[in-house]
Amino acid sequence: MRNYEVVFVIKPDLEAEATAAVVEKFTRLIADQGGQVIEVDQWGKKRMAYEVRKYREGYYVLMKFKGTPAVAQELERVLKITDEVIRYLITRLEEKAS
């Protein structure tokens, strides 16, 4: 399994429960696809450098996980179609040389 991290920005006007539900949705998706969530770091509301979909701020979440490339592809597919997500970026982390 490979190491990945995903940063996604959720709409800032959602209720706290709805924001938590979105984070839980992606955590569950990774687990259901056979991946393993290592860390979830919720950065909270931050101002963006430029306007995205008429929003000047967003709720940022960093999630580190292990999985196969298929897990990352499925996560990207679901992130694209989720209305609550403004922006996202999935990156594959380098393996640490021993």
Side-chain angles (χ1 to χ4, degrees):
M1 290 210 279
R2 297 177 177 167
N3 292 320
Y4 292 93
E5 71 179 14
V6 59
V7 176
F8 53 95
V9 183
I10 302 171
K11 291 179 179 178
D13 54 2
L14 293 179
E15 297 290 327
E17 297 85 27
T19 302
V22 172
V23 174
E24 177 61 28
K25 172 183 176 178
F26 295 120
T27 304
R28 200 170 335 109
L29 173 79
I30 291 168
D32 290 348
Q33 293 293 317
Q36 175 187 1
V37 176
I38 298 167
E39 179 184 349
V40 178
D41 189 7
Q42 297 187 29
W43 296 344
K45 282 187 186 178
K46 302 241 181 245
R47 186 161 176 80
M48 293 188 277
Y50 54 89
E51 191 173 289
V52 179
R53 292 196 203 167
K54 301 190 179 183
Y55 290 101
R56 294 292 294 162
E57 62 179 22
Y59 189 90
Y60 284 72
V61 179
L62 169 69
M63 192 178 292
K64 293 182 180 181
F65 67 97
K66 289 185 176 203
T68 62
V71 174
Q73 289 173 346
E74 178 63 12
L75 178 62
E76 182 171 15
R77 185 188 74 78
V78 175
L79 281 164
K80 279 182 186 176
I81 61 174
T82 303
D83 289 335
E84 294 87 6
V85 175
I86 301 171
R87 275 277 196 269
Y88 67 90
L89 178 66
I90 300 174
T91 53
R92 180 177 164 203
L93 301 175
E94 293 292 323
E95 299 297 321
K96 294 181 180 159
S98 301

